[in-house]
Amino acid sequence: MPKIPMLGVRLFDPDDNRFKLTRRFMAHLVRLRQATVEAAKSLSMTELDELVKKLPDHEVDRIDRRVGLILAARAKLPGAGHLKTEDRNALRALADGAELIAIPSEHRADEIAAELHTDMPWMGPANELAWHAMRRSVREGWKGFRLPPMLLDGPPGIGKSHWARKLGELLTAPVMVLEAGSEGASFGLVGSQRGWSGAEPGRLIRTILRTGVAKPNTDM
């Protein structure tokens, strides 16, 4: 599946502390000083540790200063520094971007629309709108399928929510259901800001983090 970037910040490994970075740089220096690449690769962990211990103090101090500069530069970068460790770990799922659900061909669009209409023929206008949107996404070469926002209006029990879930199933897209009538505020959808003591992402972001899909099918 195609992917799109989701994070405007760079996430660093929280385990990359001063000690670990220093040890990594020291080991790298030892490997660089081996006579050949093959010799560097053949070093066992025990041999590597012994050579690291033999580095002179002035080289260890130089590496430590370099690590300090790196950590200071990281701390100045705008982005995720204010986040808790568990929040940064959750965002790592999107470090390489999030997947987009794409319609591979107009033939596949026809198949999805036909199955949707066979299951719920009384939802004809909605079926037709989704069908045209799917075919258009193929013709115009969209990276991912975009269905225009839809308001399904009708009495209870005619299958509005079932239609949305069925479309998500046929598209192999995750479905997020939000009972708008039972939500007291918009926090359930969009989350709460950092100023609130219980700040957390909304249902939409949590669904993207859980599934790795950039645009889940949302039923409200």
Side-chain angles (χ1 to χ4, degrees):
M1 292 183 182
K3 287 189 174 185
I4 58 170
M6 290 291 291
L7 301 180
V9 298
R10 184 176 177 185
L11 295 175
F12 297 99
D13 190 338
D15 292 332
D16 268 354
N17 53 37
R18 193 181 195 102
F19 174 77
K20 287 192 174 182
L21 284 176
T22 300
R23 291 287 295 180
R24 187 187 305 166
F25 284 13
M26 291 166 68
H28 182 64
L29 177 59
V30 167
R31 291 191 182 96
L32 286 177
R33 288 181 173 172
Q34 296 302 299
T36 64
V37 174
E38 289 72 19
K41 290 181 178 179
S42 65
L43 285 174
S44 67
M45 292 303 298
T46 302
E47 292 171 329
L48 186 62
D49 286 341
E50 288 299 320
L51 291 172
V52 164
K53 292 176 183 178
K54 293 178 181 179
L55 287 174
D57 290 343
H58 72 277
E59 290 186 337
V60 175
D61 291 341
R62 183 180 179 186
I63 289 173
D64 185 67
R65 288 195 299 271
R66 177 61 60 86
V67 169
L69 291 173
I70 291 173
L71 293 176
R74 287 184 180 183
K76 292 179 181 179
L77 289 175
H82 64 283
L83 296 176
K84 299 177 182 177
T85 299
E86 56 268 27
D87 294 332
R88 287 199 299 270
N89 289 338
L91 288 174
R92 288 185 192 287
L94 302 178
D96 296 326
E99 293 181 346
L100 291 171
I101 301 298
I103 309 298
S105 65
E106 289 188 74
H107 177 68
R108 180 56 186 156
D110 296 343
E111 289 179 335
I112 293 173
E115 187 169 348
L116 191 63
H117 191 69
T118 298
D119 188 56
M120 306 185 70
W122 60 91
M123 300 289 284
N127 297 335
E128 186 173 357
L129 190 151
W131 176 40
H132 288 309
M134 287 187 288
R135 290 181 64 89
R136 182 184 174 192
S137 75
V138 177
R139 290 196 304 270
E140 298 186 2
W142 297 350
K143 286 186 177 180
F145 170 56
R146 299 194 301 270
L147 180 67
M150 295 177 62
L151 175 62
L152 300 179
D153 183 25
I158 65 169
K160 299 185 295 294
S161 294
H162 175 73
W163 185 90
R165 292 187 180 95
K166 182 65 176 181
L167 178 60
E169 175 188 328
L170 293 172
L171 293 172
T172 66
V175 177
M176 189 202 81
V177 179
L178 181 69
E179 298 292 345
S182 62
E183 290 288 339
S186 62
F187 297 151
L189 178 63
V190 300
S192 53
Q193 297 181 1
R194 288 175 55 193
W196 294 81
S197 59
E200 62 176 354
R203 290 277 303 283
L204 183 58
I205 294 299
R206 291 204 301 271
T207 301
I208 294 174
L209 288 171
R210 176 175 54 84
T211 64
V213 175
K215 194 173 183 182
N217 196 29
T218 306
D219 173 32
M220 292 187 290

